[in-house]
Amino acid sequence: MVGMGVDLADLPDYVSNNDLGTAVLLAEMAHAGVGRMVLASSMVVYGEGAYECGDHGPQRPQPRAVADLVAGRFEPSCPLCGAGLTSVLVAEEAPLDPRSVYAATKLAQEHLAAAWARQTGGSVVALRYHNVYGPGMPRDTPYSGVAAMFRSALEAGRSPRVFEDGGQRRDFVHVGDVARANVLALSAETEGFSAYNVASGRPATVLDMAAALTGAMGGPQPVVTGEFRLGDVRHVVASPRRAEVELGFRAEIELATGMADFARAALR
Protein backbone atom coordinates (compact mmCIF):
# COMPACT_ATOMS: atom_id res chain seq x y z
CA MET A 1 0.00 0.00 0.00
CA VAL A 2 1.33 3.40 -1.01
CA GLY A 3 0.52 7.05 -0.35
CA MET A 4 -0.55 8.86 2.80
CA GLY A 5 -3.82 6.97 3.23
CA VAL A 6 -6.93 8.36 4.88
CA ASP A 7 -6.40 8.07 8.64
CA LEU A 8 -5.00 5.71 11.27
CA ALA A 9 -7.74 3.19 10.54
CA ASP A 10 -5.50 2.29 7.57
CA LEU A 11 -2.59 1.36 9.84
CA PRO A 12 -3.28 -2.41 10.11
CA ASP A 13 -3.67 -2.68 6.32
CA TYR A 14 -0.40 -0.85 5.69
CA VAL A 15 1.52 -3.06 8.13
CA SER A 16 -0.08 -6.34 7.07
CA ASN A 17 0.37 -5.71 3.35
CA ASN A 18 3.76 -4.03 3.35
CA ASP A 19 5.56 -5.65 6.26
CA LEU A 20 3.90 -9.00 6.94
CA GLY A 21 3.64 -9.50 3.17
CA THR A 22 7.37 -8.81 2.80
CA ALA A 23 8.19 -11.17 5.68
CA VAL A 24 6.19 -13.99 4.06
CA LEU A 25 7.95 -13.38 0.74
CA LEU A 26 11.42 -13.40 2.34
CA ALA A 27 10.69 -16.61 4.25
CA GLU A 28 9.57 -18.32 1.05
CA MET A 29 12.66 -17.03 -0.79
CA ALA A 30 14.90 -18.49 1.90
CA HIS A 31 13.06 -21.82 1.70
CA ALA A 32 13.33 -21.90 -2.10
CA GLY A 33 16.99 -20.85 -2.19
CA VAL A 34 16.33 -17.57 -4.02
CA GLY A 35 19.31 -15.37 -3.28
CA ARG A 36 18.65 -12.01 -4.91
CA MET A 37 16.05 -9.28 -4.44
CA VAL A 38 15.32 -5.81 -5.80
CA LEU A 39 13.20 -3.95 -3.25
CA ALA A 40 10.92 -1.08 -4.26
CA SER A 41 11.73 1.24 -1.38
CA SER A 42 10.98 4.96 -1.13
CA MET A 43 12.46 8.33 -0.31
CA VAL A 44 9.94 8.53 2.55
CA VAL A 45 12.38 6.54 4.72
CA TYR A 46 14.41 9.77 5.12
CA GLY A 47 11.53 11.79 6.57
CA GLU A 48 12.69 15.34 6.03
CA GLY A 49 15.54 15.73 3.59
CA ALA A 50 18.98 17.12 4.45
CA TYR A 51 19.40 20.68 5.75
CA GLU A 52 22.12 23.07 6.85
CA CYS A 53 22.08 26.01 9.25
CA GLY A 54 24.32 28.96 8.43
CA ASP A 55 25.66 28.99 11.99
CA HIS A 56 25.43 25.36 13.08
CA GLY A 57 26.08 23.34 9.94
CA PRO A 58 24.14 20.15 9.08
CA GLN A 59 20.94 19.83 11.10
CA ARG A 60 18.05 17.41 11.45
CA PRO A 61 14.85 19.43 12.00
CA GLN A 62 12.12 18.19 14.30
CA PRO A 63 8.68 17.36 12.86
CA ARG A 64 6.90 20.58 12.02
CA ALA A 65 4.54 21.85 14.75
CA VAL A 66 0.83 22.02 14.00
CA ALA A 67 0.72 25.63 15.21
CA ASP A 68 3.40 26.59 12.69
CA LEU A 69 1.59 24.86 9.84
CA VAL A 70 -1.72 26.51 10.75
CA ALA A 71 0.04 29.87 10.78
CA GLY A 72 1.56 29.24 7.35
CA ARG A 73 5.10 28.77 8.66
CA PHE A 74 6.03 25.79 6.53
CA GLU A 75 9.83 25.90 6.47
CA PRO A 76 11.62 23.85 9.15
CA SER A 77 13.96 25.70 11.48
CA CYS A 78 17.27 24.96 13.14
CA PRO A 79 16.68 22.99 16.38
CA LEU A 80 19.59 24.88 18.00
CA CYS A 81 18.91 28.52 17.14
CA GLY A 82 15.53 28.62 15.40
CA ALA A 83 16.95 30.16 12.23
CA GLY A 84 15.82 29.08 8.77
CA LEU A 85 17.53 26.11 7.17
CA THR A 86 18.82 25.54 3.65
CA SER A 87 17.73 22.36 1.87
CA VAL A 88 20.67 20.33 0.50
CA LEU A 89 21.04 16.98 -1.27
CA VAL A 90 20.15 13.90 0.77
CA ALA A 91 22.43 10.92 0.18
CA GLU A 92 21.80 7.26 0.99
CA GLU A 93 23.82 7.35 4.20
CA ALA A 94 21.57 10.06 5.68
CA PRO A 95 19.73 9.23 8.93
CA LEU A 96 16.43 7.44 8.37
CA ASP A 97 13.50 9.07 10.16
CA PRO A 98 10.08 7.99 8.81
CA ARG A 99 7.28 10.44 9.63
CA SER A 100 4.15 8.64 8.43
CA VAL A 101 2.66 5.16 8.69
CA TYR A 102 3.57 4.43 5.07
CA ALA A 103 7.14 5.63 5.65
CA ALA A 104 7.48 3.42 8.74
CA THR A 105 6.40 0.36 6.77
CA LYS A 106 8.88 1.12 3.98
CA LEU A 107 11.74 1.37 6.45
CA ALA A 108 10.62 -1.88 8.08
CA GLN A 109 10.78 -3.52 4.63
CA GLU A 110 14.40 -2.40 4.32
CA HIS A 111 15.26 -3.75 7.77
CA LEU A 112 13.58 -7.10 7.05
CA ALA A 113 15.35 -7.42 3.70
CA ALA A 114 18.72 -6.53 5.25
CA ALA A 115 18.23 -9.17 7.97
CA TRP A 116 17.31 -11.74 5.28
CA ALA A 117 20.46 -10.86 3.30
CA ARG A 118 22.69 -11.27 6.38
CA GLN A 119 21.22 -14.60 7.39
CA THR A 120 21.12 -16.15 3.91
CA GLY A 121 24.16 -14.52 2.30
CA GLY A 122 21.76 -13.09 -0.28
CA SER A 123 21.81 -9.75 -2.04
CA VAL A 124 19.27 -6.90 -1.79
CA VAL A 125 19.24 -3.75 -3.89
CA ALA A 126 16.79 -1.31 -2.32
CA LEU A 127 15.75 1.39 -4.79
CA ARG A 128 14.55 4.45 -2.92
CA TYR A 129 12.13 5.84 -5.48
CA HIS A 130 11.52 9.56 -5.28
CA ASN A 131 8.28 11.06 -6.65
CA VAL A 132 7.40 8.65 -9.44
CA TYR A 133 4.84 9.66 -12.07
CA GLY A 134 3.78 8.47 -15.51
CA PRO A 135 1.48 6.05 -17.37
CA GLY A 136 -0.42 3.53 -15.29
CA MET A 137 -0.79 5.63 -12.13
CA PRO A 138 -4.08 5.08 -10.31
CA ARG A 139 -6.73 7.73 -10.72
CA ASP A 140 -7.67 10.12 -7.94
CA THR A 141 -7.68 8.15 -4.67
CA PRO A 142 -6.24 8.90 -1.21
CA TYR A 143 -3.44 6.47 -2.14
CA SER A 144 -2.44 8.14 -5.42
CA GLY A 145 0.66 10.22 -5.94
CA VAL A 146 0.20 13.98 -6.16
CA ALA A 147 0.69 13.97 -9.93
CA ALA A 148 -2.26 11.62 -10.42
CA MET A 149 -4.43 13.73 -8.11
CA PHE A 150 -3.64 16.84 -10.14
CA ARG A 151 -4.23 15.01 -13.41
CA SER A 152 -7.63 13.76 -12.22
CA ALA A 153 -8.64 17.27 -11.15
CA LEU A 154 -7.68 18.72 -14.53
CA GLU A 155 -9.59 16.01 -16.39
CA ALA A 156 -12.67 17.00 -14.39
CA GLY A 157 -12.17 20.68 -15.25
CA ARG A 158 -10.99 21.60 -11.76
CA SER A 159 -7.86 23.44 -10.71
CA PRO A 160 -5.17 21.33 -9.02
CA ARG A 161 -5.19 22.11 -5.30
CA VAL A 162 -1.62 22.67 -4.13
CA PHE A 163 -1.06 22.31 -0.39
CA GLU A 164 1.03 24.60 1.83
CA ASP A 165 2.46 27.43 -0.29
CA GLY A 166 3.48 25.19 -3.18
CA GLY A 167 7.16 25.62 -2.38
CA GLN A 168 7.76 22.03 -1.23
CA ARG A 169 10.71 20.69 -3.21
CA ARG A 170 10.66 17.15 -4.56
CA ASP A 171 12.46 15.12 -7.20
CA PHE A 172 9.91 13.98 -9.79
CA VAL A 173 11.14 10.98 -11.78
CA HIS A 174 9.33 9.44 -14.74
CA VAL A 175 8.31 5.79 -14.50
CA GLY A 176 10.27 5.06 -17.70
CA ASP A 177 13.46 6.05 -15.90
CA VAL A 178 12.40 4.04 -12.85
CA ALA A 179 11.93 0.96 -15.03
CA ARG A 180 15.48 1.34 -16.37
CA ALA A 181 16.80 1.61 -12.82
CA ASN A 182 15.12 -1.68 -11.95
CA VAL A 183 16.64 -3.44 -14.96
CA LEU A 184 20.10 -2.18 -13.99
CA ALA A 185 19.56 -3.25 -10.37
CA LEU A 186 18.65 -6.77 -11.48
CA SER A 187 22.06 -7.23 -13.08
CA ALA A 188 24.17 -5.25 -10.58
CA GLU A 189 26.92 -7.21 -8.88
CA THR A 190 26.25 -6.29 -5.26
CA GLU A 191 26.57 -8.15 -1.98
CA GLY A 192 24.48 -7.86 1.14
CA PHE A 193 22.15 -4.87 1.41
CA SER A 194 22.62 -1.77 -0.76
CA ALA A 195 20.35 1.28 -1.10
CA TYR A 196 20.16 3.76 -3.97
CA ASN A 197 18.23 6.94 -4.63
CA VAL A 198 16.24 6.69 -7.86
CA ALA A 199 15.84 10.34 -8.74
CA SER A 200 16.49 12.84 -11.48
CA GLY A 201 18.81 15.12 -9.54
CA ARG A 202 16.69 18.03 -10.85
CA PRO A 203 14.39 19.11 -8.00
CA ALA A 204 11.21 21.08 -8.60
CA THR A 205 8.52 22.49 -6.36
CA VAL A 206 5.08 20.93 -6.21
CA LEU A 207 3.72 24.14 -7.72
CA ASP A 208 6.23 23.86 -10.59
CA MET A 209 4.98 20.35 -11.29
CA ALA A 210 1.33 21.42 -11.15
CA ALA A 211 2.03 24.29 -13.53
CA ALA A 212 3.86 22.01 -15.98
CA LEU A 213 0.96 19.54 -15.99
CA THR A 214 -1.62 22.32 -16.31
CA GLY A 215 0.27 23.76 -19.26
CA ALA A 216 0.44 20.36 -20.95
CA MET A 217 -3.28 19.73 -20.46
CA GLY A 218 -4.51 23.27 -21.06
CA GLY A 219 -6.57 23.20 -17.86
CA PRO A 220 -7.35 25.75 -15.15
CA GLN A 221 -4.39 27.14 -13.24
CA PRO A 222 -3.33 25.58 -9.92
CA VAL A 223 -4.75 27.01 -6.70
CA VAL A 224 -2.44 27.29 -3.67
CA THR A 225 -4.62 26.44 -0.66
CA GLY A 226 -2.40 26.69 2.42
CA GLU A 227 -3.79 23.33 3.57
CA PHE A 228 -1.40 20.73 4.96
CA ARG A 229 -1.08 17.08 5.95
CA LEU A 230 0.78 16.20 9.13
CA GLY A 231 2.64 13.29 7.54
CA ASP A 232 4.11 15.45 4.79
CA VAL A 233 7.66 16.75 4.90
CA ARG A 234 8.87 20.02 3.42
CA HIS A 235 11.84 19.28 1.17
CA VAL A 236 13.41 16.02 -0.02
CA VAL A 237 16.04 16.64 -2.68
CA ALA A 238 18.05 13.60 -3.66
CA SER A 239 21.64 12.98 -4.59
CA PRO A 240 21.64 10.64 -7.61
CA ARG A 241 25.41 10.10 -7.51
CA ARG A 242 25.61 6.61 -5.97
CA ALA A 243 23.13 5.13 -8.43
CA GLU A 244 25.04 6.67 -11.33
CA VAL A 245 28.44 5.44 -10.15
CA GLU A 246 27.46 1.96 -8.95
CA LEU A 247 24.45 1.06 -11.11
CA GLY A 248 25.13 3.18 -14.18
CA PHE A 249 21.72 4.84 -13.78
CA ARG A 250 20.97 8.42 -14.73
CA ALA A 251 17.43 9.74 -15.21
CA GLU A 252 16.95 11.08 -18.72
CA ILE A 253 13.40 12.45 -18.90
CA GLU A 254 13.05 16.16 -18.08
CA LEU A 255 10.01 17.31 -16.07
CA ALA A 256 8.41 19.26 -18.93
CA THR A 257 8.81 16.32 -21.32
CA GLY A 258 7.55 13.83 -18.75
CA MET A 259 4.52 15.93 -17.86
CA ALA A 260 3.62 16.32 -21.53
CA ASP A 261 3.68 12.52 -21.80
CA PHE A 262 1.77 12.08 -18.54
CA ALA A 263 -0.94 14.51 -19.68
CA ARG A 264 -1.93 12.03 -22.41
CA ALA A 265 -1.10 8.75 -20.68
CA ALA A 266 -3.61 6.09 -19.64
CA LEU A 267 -4.32 5.86 -15.92
CA ARG A 268 -5.63 2.95 -13.87
Side-chain angles (χ1 to χ4, degrees):
M1 290 182 66
V2 301
M4 289 289 293
V6 177
D7 54 37
L8 287 178
D10 283 333
L11 201 157
D13 286 337
Y14 272 95
V15 174
S16 61
N17 281 281
N18 293 356
D19 296 337
L20 178 58
T22 298
V24 170
L25 173 64
L26 292 169
E28 292 299 320
M29 288 170 60
H31 177 72
V34 177
R36 186 161 182 76
M37 180 183 197
V38 176
L39 174 66
S41 190
S42 172
M43 58 89 174
V44 297
V45 298
Y46 297 119
E48 284 286 352
Y51 293 87
E52 289 184 353
C53 172
D55 291 330
H56 299 103
Q59 292 297 319
R60 192 77 181 161
Q62 296 297 312
R64 296 179 295 171
V66 173
D68 287 336
L69 296 172
V70 170
R73 295 187 293 269
F74 300 120
E75 295 290 341
S77 57
C78 176
L80 299 179
C81 67
L85 297 171
T86 300
S87 171
V88 297
L89 297 181
V90 60
E92 290 84 352
E93 61 270 17
L96 304 180
D97 184 17
R99 298 189 175 184
S100 69
V101 169
Y102 171 59
T105 66
K106 296 307 290 183
L107 182 54
Q109 284 183 325
E110 288 198 7
H111 288 324
L112 290 168
W116 168 88
R118 284 193 298 271
Q119 289 185 240
T120 65
S123 170
V124 176
V125 176
L127 299 181
R128 291 175 180 163
Y129 302 158
H130 284 251
N131 285 69
V132 183
Y133 70 95
M137 290 188 80
R139 292 188 180 275
D140 191 7
T141 80
Y143 311 97
S144 299
V146 65
M149 293 179 180
F150 290 170
R151 160 79 187 267
S152 296
L154 288 164
E155 284 185 330
R158 303 191 308 269
S159 294
R161 294 176 61 82
V162 180
F163 281 10
E164 301 189 14
D165 60 0
Q168 312 93 301
R169 296 172 74 220
R170 298 289 188 268
D171 195 316
F172 296 96
V173 57
H174 191 275
V175 69
D177 282 326
V178 174
R180 288 195 305 104
N182 277 268
V183 171
L184 291 167
L186 285 167
S187 58
E189 295 183 2
T190 61
E191 297 180 356
F193 179 90
S194 305
Y196 299 91
N197 287 327
V198 175
S200 72
R202 299 181 291 271
T205 68
V206 173
L207 184 57
D208 288 338
M209 184 274 286
L213 184 57
T214 297
M217 295 184 68
Q221 292 299 305
V223 174
V224 177
T225 70
E227 297 171 271
F228 60 87
R229 300 185 301 181
L230 278 179
D232 280 339
V233 296
R234 183 61 177 175
H235 304 300
V236 185
V237 180
S239 169
R241 176 172 171 76
R242 180 183 290 179
E244 183 172 354
V245 171
E246 297 183 15
L247 299 181
F249 170 73
R250 175 184 288 189
E252 297 175 350
I253 301 172
E254 300 278 353
L255 182 63
T257 302
M259 283 296 156
D261 170 70
F262 181 54
R264 301 183 299 272
L267 301 184
R268 287 190 281 118

